[in-house]
Amino acid sequence: MNDLRNTEPVSGETGADPGGAVAADLDAGGGISPEILHDSYGEEELDVTREDFEALLSDYQSVRGTIKEGEIVQARVLRVTESSAILECGFKSEGEVPLDEFKSPGEIVPGLEVEVLLERLEDEEGVVVLSKKKADFLRVWEKIREAYDNDEPVKGLLTRKIKGGVTVDIMGVDAFLPGSQIALRRVPNIEDLIGRQYDFKIIKLNKRRRNIVVSRRVILERERQRQRATLVKELINGQVREGVVKNITEFGAFIDLGGLDGLLHITDMSWGRVGHPSEVVTVGERMDVKVLDIDWDRERISLGLKQLLPYPWTDIEERYPIGARVRGRVVSITNYGAFVELQKGVEGLVHISEMSWTRSVKHPSRLVSIGDEIDTVILKVDPRNEKISLGIKQIQEDPWLSLPLKYPAGTRISGTVRNLTTFGAFVEVEPGIDGLVHVSDMSWTKRVEHPSEVVQKGEPIEVQVLHVDGDNKRISLGLKQLYDDPWPVLVVRYGRGHEQEGRVVRVQEKGLVVDLEEGVEGYVPASHSAVPPSALAERYQAGTRVPVRVINADQEERRIVLEVLEAPERPAPEAEEEPPAPEESGEGAPAPEEEEVDE
């Protein structure tokens, strides 16, 4: 269309510019007839007929008179650059819209008809100012405002994560979904929700800022309240319902039943042992549970999972008879034994005393570990208390049954001293089997106060088997039995009245032990010590040599009673030096000592 405002003045005329005046009147909305306008220029200067000129002027006045700034107009794409689309919308100038204002910039091609908002007819450069984004916003604003006023939900698509929340596409317009309004509880990974469509409640509108805030949580809370009201009427004890695992704790899992949460305690998850609830359930898992108890006053619902399965202890005595050999898995170890799982929900205890025939087991972990598959024997079944006693050592034959035949009395064996006590020494007979050498069986002639006087721990020695008690699992051993009994000879050698010198070995409260020769000891009662009993410790010491006489030699009692012929002399008391008396000075103080000077 020709620009009427820029028409040159008619040649040969001076003064006012009729074309400029007419154009100014048109811009001001003035009414000028086509005839006057055509006659003021002439057909030769306009180069158009009166009819064509009237049609052009009519189109110009129609466009300029009906379309106003702030309205949505239809535009056609002329060309596309790297960053914008050039549009033609019926005005003398073209408009430009950035490509990022289009939802699908890749689909913008020349000839495409689009709707844009006419922001200004012309800017400072004479270009029409258009906006695609604002046009889209205005198209859906009324629908959004209507949904907001009527408290109606709107559908939206989560498009991208931004700071503080998510952008939601609602009817082609971006809205903001705060992170706290995405769900009933915090969403750990928002990116997983991108691309999903949900219903939203509009909670805030600002047309001037084109700001829309929506919430999905409000929709979910309303639905939850509705489900809760229904669930309260339907829920009864013993009912089986489907739920979703909402949260897992150390003591159980919370199950969403659809408006109400119930607790599935760890003890109600399985008939067997459960170390942690995560071994049985996972967050988000759908599962059937049984309602065990409802407390509407405290709003607590107890749920069970194992109650949906058969009770494993039914007919347990028939399935696990006493003496049966069964295989199981070690699931727990304590100080007193190990628990073995025989089947899901059925465990038995192997007590520490039932782990070995021969070894003294200090802790079960020395023989078994958690997860081990082991063979056991059923010892006892208690269905009422849900207990089964198991044994490991019963898998093998009790070695104590054959020991009496293997080691009859009088058998000589070699072993190692394993341990010393006040009453004797334990000697290893076989791996894990020890016999006791009592102090009374260590020497024919000496009074052994402690076994360390004869043997040492770890020392290899030879002993003789005296007795094997398989029932009580005891073996009696002897050292002195390796040699002939010397007392028949000793009673002759040390007859009544025999005199010789002896050496005091020990001083006791009621007498003295005296060594007569190698390995032969006699006893001097305090009344025959030649000193008052109260002076024994004063007059006699270990190692003191004294003359003695045999009073009695008893073969059956295996003892020689002596008397001291002459007591040792009393030790001379040590002389105490008295300090010299100080010399008095004139003031009553000790006089200073005079130093000796070498001449």
Side-chain angles (χ1 to χ4, degrees):
M1 180 183 294
N2 294 328
D3 192 344
L4 301 179
R5 293 174 294 179
N6 296 331
T7 304
E8 295 293 335
V10 180
S11 60
E13 294 185 3
T14 58
D17 176 8
V22 173
D25 290 338
L26 287 173
D27 283 341
I32 301 178
S33 64
E35 293 82 0
I36 298 175
L37 185 58
H38 185 272
D39 291 343
S40 64
Y41 282 92
E43 290 186 7
E44 294 81 2
E45 295 180 0
L46 292 176
D47 196 21
V48 292
T49 63
R50 180 183 293 273
E51 291 76 9
D52 292 337
F53 181 78
E54 290 177 357
L56 291 172
L57 184 59
S58 176
D59 292 340
Y60 180 79
Q61 290 176 327
S62 175
V63 172
R64 299 298 295 267
T66 58
I67 300 178
K68 299 178 181 179
E69 293 181 354
E71 293 185 355
I72 297 175
V73 299
Q74 195 76 17
R76 182 171 57 87
V77 178
L78 295 179
R79 60 185 180 279
V80 180
T81 67
E82 292 183 359
S83 60
S84 62
I86 309 303
L87 307 178
E88 187 274 325
C89 53
F91 297 101
K92 65 173 185 176
S93 301
E94 300 166 347
E96 182 179 4
V97 176
L99 288 177
D100 58 9
E101 291 196 13
F102 295 90
K103 292 294 181 182
S104 303
E107 299 177 2
I108 306 303
V109 295
L112 181 67
E113 296 285 338
V114 295
E115 287 186 336
V116 292
L117 176 69
L118 177 61
E119 294 193 78
R120 293 176 60 188
L121 288 172
E122 293 179 353
D123 60 8
E124 297 177 355
E125 299 179 357
V127 178
V128 180
V129 181
L130 305 173
S131 174
K132 170 62 176 170
K133 193 172 184 179
K134 293 179 180 180
D136 294 340
F137 179 80
L138 290 176
R139 279 297 184 195
V140 299
W141 176 259
E142 288 303 320
K143 295 181 180 179
I144 293 175
R145 185 180 61 81
E146 183 179 353
Y148 175 75
D149 293 339
N150 297 332
D151 196 20
E152 297 177 350
V154 294
K155 288 194 176 294
L157 180 69
L158 279 69
T159 56
R160 67 182 184 278
K161 178 183 177 182
I162 59 176
K163 183 178 180 180
V166 184
T167 298
V168 181
D169 183 356
I170 299 178
M171 305 179 203
V173 175
D174 287 342
F176 176 62
L177 173 63
S180 61
Q181 300 297 317
I182 296 177
L184 293 174
R185 63 190 63 87
R186 188 181 68 86
V187 178
N189 194 358
I190 297 178
E191 285 82 359
D192 294 342
L193 302 179
I194 302 301
R196 299 187 182 184
Q197 189 176 44
Y198 300 102
D199 286 337
F200 297 94
K201 168 70 171 64
I202 302 172
I203 58 177
K204 184 178 180 181
L205 284 179
N206 190 319
K207 183 177 181 181
R208 183 174 63 84
R209 296 183 178 180
R210 298 189 301 278
N211 185 21
I212 304 174
V213 182
V214 297
S215 171
R216 178 171 172 253
R217 181 173 180 172
V218 174
I219 300 293
L220 296 176
E221 287 177 344
R222 289 179 179 177
E223 179 62 20
R224 185 177 180 86
Q225 290 297 329
R226 185 190 64 79
Q227 293 177 348
R228 178 188 177 91
T230 303
L231 193 61
V232 168
K233 299 177 182 178
E234 298 178 351
L235 206 62
I236 58 174
N237 286 337
Q239 190 179 55
V240 178
R241 297 189 68 95
E242 183 183 57
V244 180
V245 180
K246 182 178 179 181
N247 189 25
I248 296 177
T249 66
E250 293 291 331
F251 55 84
F254 288 95
I255 310 296
D256 185 358
L257 301 176
L260 288 174
D261 291 344
L263 173 62
L264 175 60
H265 198 269
I266 187 172
T267 57
D268 291 312
M269 288 184 170
S270 173
W271 292 112
R273 184 182 299 269
V274 179
H276 191 274
S278 59
E279 299 175 7
V280 181
V281 298
T282 56
V283 175
E285 178 184 0
R286 304 189 72 88
M287 60 193 312
D288 289 335
V289 290
K290 186 174 184 178
V291 179
L292 304 181
D293 184 60
I294 304 174
D295 187 349
W296 291 120
D297 295 334
R298 303 172 67 183
E299 294 189 354
R300 292 186 177 180
I301 303 174
S302 298
L303 305 175
L305 184 62
K306 71 180 184 181
Q307 288 76 7
L308 300 178
L309 301 174
Y311 181 54
W313 288 85
T314 302
D315 301 329
I316 194 72
E317 293 175 298
E318 297 179 5
R319 289 183 284 119
Y320 296 101
I322 294 176
R325 182 169 176 170
V326 294
R327 189 169 183 81
R329 180 174 62 91
V330 179
V331 293
S332 178
I333 295 178
T334 66
N335 291 331
Y336 54 84
F339 286 92
V340 179
E341 184 182 60
L342 304 181
Q343 68 174 67
K344 201 66 176 177
V346 176
E347 295 178 5
L349 172 65
V350 181
H351 194 269
I352 192 171
S353 62
E354 302 296 342
M355 289 187 168
S356 175
W357 290 112
T358 58
R359 294 179 58 181
S360 177
V361 183
K362 294 183 178 181
H363 195 275
S365 60
R366 297 192 174 186
L367 294 183
V368 296
S369 301
I370 293 179
D372 287 352
E373 296 283 341
I374 61 174
D375 290 326
T376 62
V377 174
I378 304 294
L379 304 181
K380 182 180 178 181
V381 179
D382 184 356
R384 176 175 297 181
N385 296 312
E386 297 182 356
K387 292 182 179 180
I388 296 180
S389 298
L390 303 173
I392 296 177
K393 67 183 183 181
Q394 289 77 8
I395 297 294
Q396 299 175 346
E397 182 183 0
D398 185 357
W400 286 93
L401 298 177
S402 61
L403 282 178
L405 299 177
K406 188 175 182 180
Y407 299 106
T411 304
R412 291 192 175 193
I413 59 175
S414 297
T416 302
V417 178
R418 301 271 296 176
N419 193 23
L420 299 180
T421 67
T422 57
F423 53 84
F426 285 95
V427 179
E428 185 180 53
V429 177
E430 287 187 355
I433 299 179
D434 294 341
L436 174 65
V437 180
H438 196 269
V439 289
S440 62
D441 289 313
M442 288 187 171
S443 174
W444 288 109
T445 58
K446 294 181 62 176
R447 287 178 176 269
V448 180
E449 297 289 330
H450 193 275
S452 59
E453 300 174 11
V454 180
V455 296
Q456 300 297 322
K457 184 177 180 179
E459 178 185 356
I461 61 173
E462 188 176 5
V463 292
Q464 181 174 306
V465 177
L466 304 181
H467 178 66
V468 177
D469 185 351
D471 295 334
N472 295 312
K473 296 178 174 53
R474 292 177 181 176
I475 300 178
S476 297
L477 304 175
L479 272 174
K480 70 182 184 180
Q481 287 78 6
L482 295 175
Y483 310 98
D484 293 335
D485 185 359
W487 280 99
V489 177
L490 292 177
V491 295
V492 175
R493 181 186 305 173
Y494 297 98
R496 181 187 296 270
H498 174 77
E499 297 181 1
Q500 75 172 66
E501 188 180 60
R503 181 175 57 86
V504 177
V505 178
R506 286 187 298 274
V507 179
Q508 298 178 341
E509 183 179 355
K510 295 182 179 181
L512 305 174
V513 177
V514 178
D515 181 27
L516 299 176
E517 63 177 273
E518 186 67 27
V520 179
E521 293 179 348
Y523 183 70
V524 178
S527 58
H528 292 77
S529 63
V531 299
S534 59
L536 278 177
E538 178 185 352
R539 302 289 293 274
Y540 295 99
Q541 295 179 356
T544 302
R545 303 193 70 84
V546 292
V548 294
R549 178 190 295 130
V550 177
I551 298 176
N552 183 31
D554 191 336
Q555 180 177 343
E556 294 182 1
E557 295 292 333
R558 301 181 189 282
R559 61 182 297 183
I560 300 174
V561 182
L562 307 171
E563 65 175 345
V564 176
L565 298 177
E566 183 180 354
E569 296 182 359
R570 183 190 302 270
E574 295 181 0
E576 297 182 359
E577 296 182 359
E578 297 182 0
E583 298 181 3
E584 296 184 358
S585 62
E587 299 179 356
E593 298 179 357
E594 296 182 359
E595 296 181 359
E596 296 183 358
V597 180
D598 295 335
E599 295 183 358

